[in-house]
Amino acid sequence: LDDAVDGDVIEVAAGTWYECLVVTASVRIVGLGGSSGTTLDGGGVCAVVLDVQAPAASVELAGFTVTAPDGRALQVEAESFALDDVVVTGSGGSATTSGAGLAFTGTSLSLTDATFSDHEAETCAALDIADGAVVTMSGGGFSENEATDGVGGAVCLGSAAELTMENVSFTG
């Protein structure tokens, strides 16, 4: 990712990758084993597993499981961000204040067959969406996400944010 430029497609072989990644360009990152066979794992050493620092970029993550046992799985500051066939699970803990699964700042967030489960944070455990974002979610769902102060176990939306969901499940 260090040498990635706008438009690159980065393919990641199936397996478990213990990584702390930073994205600064418009790229598509594809797990060749799909979400059942390609895992990005913070291994308890990352504050953020995938940190997108590209305010004007469009970034897509497809075919992964992402976990950050002691931190945030995905932190995104981008014009647009898309997840497709992504399982975000087991992130957060007592030191995580919000958005253990995904904290998003940007204009457009697209979630297709994305699942958020087993996150813990003070508030907004699974998704913390900033002001003004437009979010669409199709398929996937939320399960067993815990906000320890009782506010927003699954999703928190900033002011003027819009959320559209279709065929999304909520359990636990």
Side-chain angles (χ1 to χ4, degrees):
L1 284 175
D2 292 341
D3 297 326
V5 297
D6 288 348
D8 280 357
V9 175
I10 299 157
E11 296 180 333
V12 179
T16 298
W17 302 93
Y18 295 94
E19 300 284 342
C20 307
L21 304 170
V22 176
V23 175
T24 58
S26 290
V27 295
R28 183 168 191 256
I29 306 167
V30 180
L32 297 178
S35 63
S36 63
T38 311
T39 299
L40 296 175
D41 188 333
V45 297
C46 294
V48 178
V49 175
L50 181 67
D51 189 356
V52 178
Q53 302 172 2
S58 294
V59 176
E60 180 181 354
L61 185 68
F64 284 93
T65 291
V66 184
T67 186
D70 295 317
R72 179 175 287 150
L74 306 165
Q75 179 169 297
V76 178
E77 182 180 356
E79 178 70 22
S80 67
F81 184 66
L83 294 179
D84 185 1
D85 179 33
V86 173
V87 174
V88 185
T89 187
S91 299
S94 60
T96 306
T97 57
S98 70
L102 168 61
F104 177 74
T105 301
T107 303
S108 173
L109 175 61
S110 173
L111 307 170
T112 304
D113 297 323
T115 302
F116 295 84
S117 65
D118 299 311
H119 300 292
E120 179 186 338
E122 289 177 19
T123 64
C124 315
L127 287 178
D128 189 359
I129 309 300
D131 299 345
V134 175
V135 182
T136 58
M137 185 170 185
S138 176
F142 300 87
S143 65
E144 304 301 326
N145 297 292
E146 180 184 3
T148 57
D149 78 354
V151 177
V155 181
C156 291
L157 295 174
S159 65
E162 298 176 26
L163 173 63
T164 303
M165 292 183 170
E166 182 178 313
N167 299 319
V168 175
S169 65
F170 290 83
T171 58

